[in-house]
Each structure stands twice: as C-alpha cells, then as structure tokens.
Amino acid sequence: FQAEDGIRDFCLSRGLGDVYKRQAFINLYKKNNSHGEFVFDYSWADAFIRNGLSYYPKLVSAIPFTPCKSKKVFGDDEISNELIDEIKKMMHDESINSWHILFPVNEERKVFLKHDFIERFGYRFVWQNKNFVDFKDYLSIFKSRQRKNIIKERNSVRSLGIEFDIFEADDISLETWKIFFNFYQITYHERGQAPYLNLAFFEQIEAFKTKLKPVLFFARQNGEYIGASLCFKDKKTLYGRHWGATKNIRNLHFEACYYQGIEYCIKHGISSFDPGVQGEHKIRRGFEPIKTSSLHFITRKDFSNAIKNFCVDEEKQIDDGHKYNIYTGMFDFSDEGKKSQIIGLQHLNDNLFRDSFIGTIKPVTGFMLTTDTATYLYTGIQACLLYTSDAADEGLGVDLGGRRII
C-alpha cells in the first residue's frame, strides 16, 4: 500500500430510464508488492517468478495495514456479481494474474466463492473478558507456573521504575502523536524498513479522534517517555495496532501491547481485546485462537489448482492443531464460570509450553525458518505447539512457513 500503488474505485450502475437506482461499488488497490497485508503470499509470488511469470502487479481489496474484517462490496447484490465479472475482464486486459480479498465479512464470502475465488484460512488471537474483577482475578485462569511467569514479566518492567500513562480523548494532542510517531518509526527502522505510515496519518487520527477513539499507553521511566502502544476501541473491543520504544527492555513489549490492554478492558468492561493477527506466543498470555479467512482469485488454472490444494492442506493443518487439546498444563479450569476456551497446539506428552522444542529444534534467533524446518513443524510433530522458544519472548520476527510472529 505504497503511495505509488494505483487506487481504483469500481462502480457499476443499472437503472430504469435515465435514473440510476441500482449500484455496486468495490475499492481496489493495484499493488507491486505484498507489504502491509497480514496474509502472506510470498511463496506464491516466488512460485510464479520461478516459472517465468509475473505475480505483480496484483489487485487487493482491503483496509491498508489493518488486519480487521471489513465489507468489501457495497450495493445491489445482482449488480455486485456483474461488477466482479467486469473486474475479471479488466484483469485479463491488463495481464493481472491475481486478486486478493483480505479479511472479508462472513456474508461476502459466498459471493466471491461463486466466482471461483479460493478461500484461505489463518488465525488471530483474541483475549476474552470473562467478567474479570481485576488483573489478579484474570490470572486465576492459569496454572501456578504460568501465573508466576506473567507476574515475573510484569515485575521485571516495574522493577526498572517504568510506569504507564494512558491517553485518550481530550488527553491526546498533536504533540502526543509526534512523540508516538518517533516510537513507531523505530519499530521499522530496527528491521531495516521504512515505516508504512507517516506523521500526517496520525495527525488525521487526531482530527477524527472522537469517532476513531484511539487509546495510547505510554511507558514512562525517570520522567521520560521511552515507548508506547496504540489501540482503538469501540463499545465491545479494544484493537491493538502499533507500538515502538527507544530502549530495548525485556518484556516491555508484552507489558505495553498485552497486559496494559487487558487491564484497560477489565477496568472499562470491554468484552474483548484483539491485538492483531498471528503470534502463537499470545496463547500463553491468555489470548485465544480464532479462525480468519481471505479469498483469492488466480487467473491461471494451473496455479489456481495448485494454490487451492495448498489452502486445503493448510486449513487441515490448522484445524488438526487447534482441535488436539485444551492446554490443561497452563490453565486452571476449576472455576467453570471462567473456563477458558484457549486451544493450543500442544505436544501430547509434554506439560511445558516452550520446552516442547528444547532439545528437538534449536531456539530460533533469526527472522526465517527454513522450508524444511517449517515442513517438519507442520507434518513431523503436528501435535506440537508452533512456538519458537525465546525468539518471541525477545520480540523477534519469525516466519513459520510464511506466518509471521511479532
């Protein structure tokens, strides 16, 4: 979703006489990369390139940089079907090989599936407020060992004299956004990337903050702000979006991006906290896996069939893993009123979360697992948690067969 990406608004109208009463509308991005999408198709692009074909440009229907469900087609259903066919014709005319519908709402899935779109499944991790009184009450769902781990993580931050200030509504100003933007940039610069968003974007949030309802969690040490996380909220959900820090402090990411948000939801009676897609390390902090989907149209029949088979196999791996066991080694289910539905990819003979890899696979300390390792994770030990030991604890980005952990 770069500035040079082509943005197209496709609208088709049908009416009686000179009066157009029936319309349909779809917003598309014509992209030359796969950045900022949260549905990873780099292996698909590589397959095209290795066969001498162009994967880019491609069409994408999504909210830029935002892994949230949203409506993609607006208007009359019959006209919407015509509009999808018109876009397919345009793809043929312009030699565009793929169109991707990211995070569609449920009612739209059937519309696109009728037009030979392939459905791909993934997962996100969401915290559910089970009428917790306070954070201590929330910790009661965990077994003693994991409860101690979370307390230890939080105390390691507090022991450094770090406290948090929460800004929302009139507490936020343009100066607040300038401070946050500096933190936000650091997250990308550390990875050798340019930030997706600029300061003008956050200034627009300030202009519409009464509707967008941002919540900022600022970490303060010795009277100076050293980091912050940004969320948005509605009546039922807190949405985690961005974060950054000037100091590399162990567990600060978890405190700013997870625990502060959980406490905020408990205090304000918010039902759920969605900190963003993927990241199996969220499970051990009380977030529950929820299935997500995306839809993909591939013009070439041979590649379409191959990708469809890939997606079918990928869904089976996800379902097989998620239905294995509720992770009884970590959660205390004695209180039925707070019984968690967290499902982990648990090693059947192992009561320890991270230790299922120790001695089997070396802890990941880089940014990429090899294809062989990823295959081994998925097929060799399907009953094992897809977790990368201390890599996630250190906030490192890890790619499990195209799935990024942050």
Side-chain angles (χ1 to χ4, degrees), residues 90-101:
M90 181 272 293
M91 293 174 67
H92 178 269
D93 294 341
E94 298 188 17
S95 299
I96 297 173
N97 285 321
S98 65
W99 178 13
H100 309 266
I101 314 294

Side-chain angles (χ1 to χ4, degrees), residues 106-285:
N106 291 336
E107 56 266 28
E108 288 183 340
R109 290 164 56 197
K110 292 182 180 179
V111 175
F112 287 103
L113 289 173
K114 289 179 181 177
H115 289 268
D116 297 323
F117 277 73
I118 300 165
E119 188 162 25
R120 184 184 186 186
F121 293 94
Y123 45 87
R124 67 194 310 119
F125 298 91
V126 178
W127 178 86
Q128 305 289 349
N129 189 348
K130 305 179 192 305
N131 298 316
F132 299 116
V133 176
D134 51 27
F135 197 87
K136 183 178 179 180
D137 187 30
Y138 155 65
L139 288 177
S140 68
I141 69 172
F142 295 95
K143 289 287 190 178
S144 175
R145 176 171 178 174
Q146 184 55 23
R147 184 162 56 245
K148 289 178 181 178
N149 285 341
I150 292 175
I151 293 171
K152 183 178 179 181
E153 287 179 345
R154 301 203 75 185
N155 286 342
S156 71
V157 175
R158 291 170 180 165
S159 67
L160 298 176
I162 298 174
E163 298 178 323
F164 278 80
D165 296 326
I166 302 174
F167 291 81
E168 54 184 322
D170 292 338
D171 296 331
I172 303 174
S173 66
L174 286 174
E175 185 60 30
T176 310
W177 290 114
K178 289 179 181 178
I179 297 171
F180 176 77
F181 181 66
N182 288 333
F183 297 143
Y184 164 78
Q185 290 186 97
I186 292 171
T187 302
Y188 290 86
H189 291 158
E190 287 177 344
R191 300 173 187 168
Q193 299 176 3
Y196 289 146
L197 306 173
N198 55 28
L199 180 59
F201 172 85
F202 295 101
E203 290 173 343
Q204 285 294 304
I205 296 177
E206 171 66 17
F208 295 95
K209 64 184 178 183
T210 56
K211 291 184 177 181
L212 298 175
K213 294 180 172 55
V215 182
L216 288 152
F217 300 89
F218 274 87
R220 174 171 41 84
Q221 185 181 47
N222 299 323
E224 176 187 359
Y225 289 125
I226 60 169
S229 64
L230 168 63
C231 297
F232 296 89
K233 69 175 182 178
D234 57 27
K235 291 181 180 180
K236 296 182 178 181
T237 305
L238 183 71
Y239 302 91
R241 288 279 64 87
H242 304 289
W243 107 287
T246 56
K247 295 183 178 181
N248 185 16
I249 296 175
R250 185 176 178 85
N251 298 321
L252 180 59
H253 172 260
F254 297 138
E255 180 65 33
C257 297
Y258 303 152
Y259 300 138
Q260 285 292 316
I262 289 172
E263 276 197 318
Y264 182 90
C265 289
I266 295 172
K267 181 179 179 180
H268 294 274
I270 296 175
S271 301
S272 61
F273 176 26
D274 180 353
V277 295
Q278 282 140 13
E280 284 82 0
H281 59 279
K282 295 184 181 112
I283 296 176
R284 63 191 290 262
R285 293 168 178 87

Side-chain angles (χ1 to χ4, degrees), residues 65-113:
F65 316 113
T66 307
C68 292
K69 283 186 177 181
S70 64
K71 191 170 175 61
K72 304 300 188 294
V73 183
F74 299 88
D76 183 276
D77 289 343
E78 182 179 341
I79 307 301
S80 296
N81 285 305
E82 290 185 50
L83 181 55
I84 292 171
D85 288 334
E86 288 294 324
I87 293 173
K88 285 184 178 181
K89 291 178 183 177
M90 181 272 293
M91 293 174 67
H92 178 269
D93 294 341
E94 298 188 17
S95 299
I96 297 173
N97 285 321
S98 65
W99 178 13
H100 309 266
I101 314 294
L102 309 184
F103 305 102
V105 293
N106 291 336
E107 56 266 28
E108 288 183 340
R109 290 164 56 197
K110 292 182 180 179
V111 175
F112 287 103
L113 289 173

Side-chain angles (χ1 to χ4, degrees), residues 312-330:
V312 169
D313 184 57
E314 186 179 47
E315 181 188 9
K316 183 178 184 301
Q317 291 166 357
I318 291 171
D319 289 343
D320 284 350
H322 281 187
K323 73 183 180 184
Y324 261 103
N325 287 36
I326 292 177
Y327 191 73
T328 55
M330 188 175 71

Side-chain angles (χ1 to χ4, degrees), residues 39-40 44 118-122 292-294 296 310-311 314:
V39 176
F40 304 106
W44 300 1
I118 300 165
E119 188 162 25
R120 184 184 186 186
F121 293 94
T292 63
S293 75
S294 55
H296 309 267
F310 167 85
C311 291
E314 186 179 47

